[in-house]
Amino acid sequence: MLTLEEIWPPYQLAITEGDLRLTVVRDDDLAEFVAVALDGVHDPERMPFSTPWTDVDPAELPASFVRFQWGARSAFTADRFNLMFAVRRAGELVGTQEFSTEHYALTRTGETGSWLGRRFHGQGIGTRMRRAVCAFAFDHLGAVQVTSGAFRDNPSSLAVSRKVGYRPNGVKRLQRRPGEVAENQQLLLTPETFVRGAPITVTGAEALQKFVGSGAGGG
Ligand SMILES: CC(C)(COP(=O)(O)OP(=O)(O)OC[C@H]1O[C@@H](n2cnc3c(N)ncnc32)[C@H](O)[C@@H]1OP(=O)(O)O)[C@@H](O)C(=O)NCCC(=O)NCCS
């Protein structure tokens, strides 16, 4: 009988940088995720997400959160996948880091998105996890560029992008809360501008490369 990790190779992947560990979200992580999210992710006055998922009634957030996770998992194909990582520091779940793609074998481009529980902000974790996922994308997944975006009134996300080496790449006007439009700074990172952090250790990259197509293999 195949193990679940053999059936679903993203579960074999682990990216480690110091005491930080990124693994693809599993059902075992969901209860902790919901607890972190219910504890608060950002100042409610200012919505950082273009899908304002943190605005839902706290009574509905748990099921809505896991529905979103299961949706991303079931939509994961070689052509279009979202690696949604559970990020743990010294074993404690602190937030998530995503790397989402479309037509990856052709575009070799992924978009990063992330959040941390509010009590974990401002300790350098956001910078470390973004650097870790970008190093993984360039060195193990054959990415040629990484994109991101942040509302212009989100200084911490923009600061992380700047520190990691992303460059401004235009501005989009997006709806964030219903009826509210806001300017979203588009960002682009290439290997040439990437400011690396501490070295990462990766396990399970080969199985993932095979799963998303031989064209995606990096070093
Ligand atoms: C965005 C987020 C992931 C960043 O993670 P983090 O661990 O807080 O970030 P770091 O501590 O690594 O770096 C934050 C940087 O922002 C800077 N910063 C924070 N508030 C700032 C402000 N008001 N003005 C200018 N810079 C600011 C900090 O000084 C720090 O830079 P430094 O290390 O050069 O001093 C986290 O804040 C978060 O989850 N926010 C809510 C969700 C969110 O906004 N997600 C991104 C959506 S695009």
Side-chain angles (χ1 to χ4, degrees):
M1 190 168 75
L2 292 173
T3 64
L4 188 57
E5 290 74 16
E6 286 165 339
I7 295 168
W8 195 251
Y11 286 159
Q12 293 182 37
L13 186 62
I15 306 171
T16 309
E17 184 270 281
D19 64 359
L20 221 56
R21 188 170 169 84
L22 282 65
T23 52
V24 169
V25 177
R26 302 173 71 129
D27 282 359
D28 285 350
D29 299 310
L30 294 176
E32 277 173 279
F33 259 117
V34 165
V36 173
L38 285 174
D39 232 28
V41 173
H42 58 84
D43 176 355
E45 294 296 309
R46 211 184 296 162
M47 174 51 67
F49 304 116
S50 49
T51 303
W53 64 273
T54 45
D55 274 354
V56 304
D57 183 331
E60 285 166 25
L61 187 140
S64 135
F65 183 84
V66 300
R67 191 178 294 119
F68 172 71
Q69 289 287 337
W70 289 333
R73 189 189 305 168
S74 70
F76 191 119
T77 64
D79 192 47
R80 184 191 171 102
F81 58 88
N82 188 355
L83 286 167
M84 309 233 290
F85 291 102
V87 181
R88 291 178 181 277
R89 182 181 58 175
E92 181 179 24
L93 187 89
V94 293
T96 190
Q97 175 67 61
E98 296 184 22
F99 181 77
S100 62
T101 70
E102 269 181 53
H103 311 305
Y104 188 72
L106 186 68
T107 63
R108 301 291 186 110
T109 299
E111 169 107 358
T112 50
S114 57
W115 62 261
L116 291 168
R118 203 167 170 187
R119 65 181 187 277
F120 304 111
H121 291 191
Q123 302 167 36
I125 304 173
T127 306
R128 289 175 62 198
M129 66 192 196
R130 194 100 76 85
R131 283 183 166 141
V133 83
C134 291
F136 165 71
F138 288 134
D139 300 346
H140 298 268
L141 218 50
V144 298
Q145 60 176 31
V146 176
T147 58
S148 194
F151 288 113
R152 292 176 90 174
D153 59 0
N154 189 345
S156 37
S157 180
L158 291 168
V160 169
S161 294
R162 203 165 40 245
K163 285 193 287 178
V164 175
Y166 292 72
R167 298 286 155 85
N169 190 31
V171 173
K172 275 188 186 169
R173 277 164 63 77
L174 298 180
Q175 171 176 290
R176 51 178 172 188
R177 287 182 158 129
E180 179 196 349
V181 72
E183 292 195 333
N184 190 277
Q185 179 66 57
Q186 300 291 291
L187 297 150
L188 176 66
L189 180 70
T190 58
E192 294 71 38
T193 64
F194 181 30
V195 180
R196 288 174 182 271
I200 58 167
T201 308
V202 178
T203 54
E206 223 170 89
L208 181 75
Q209 287 163 6
K210 259 191 225 150
F211 191 56
V212 299
S214 54

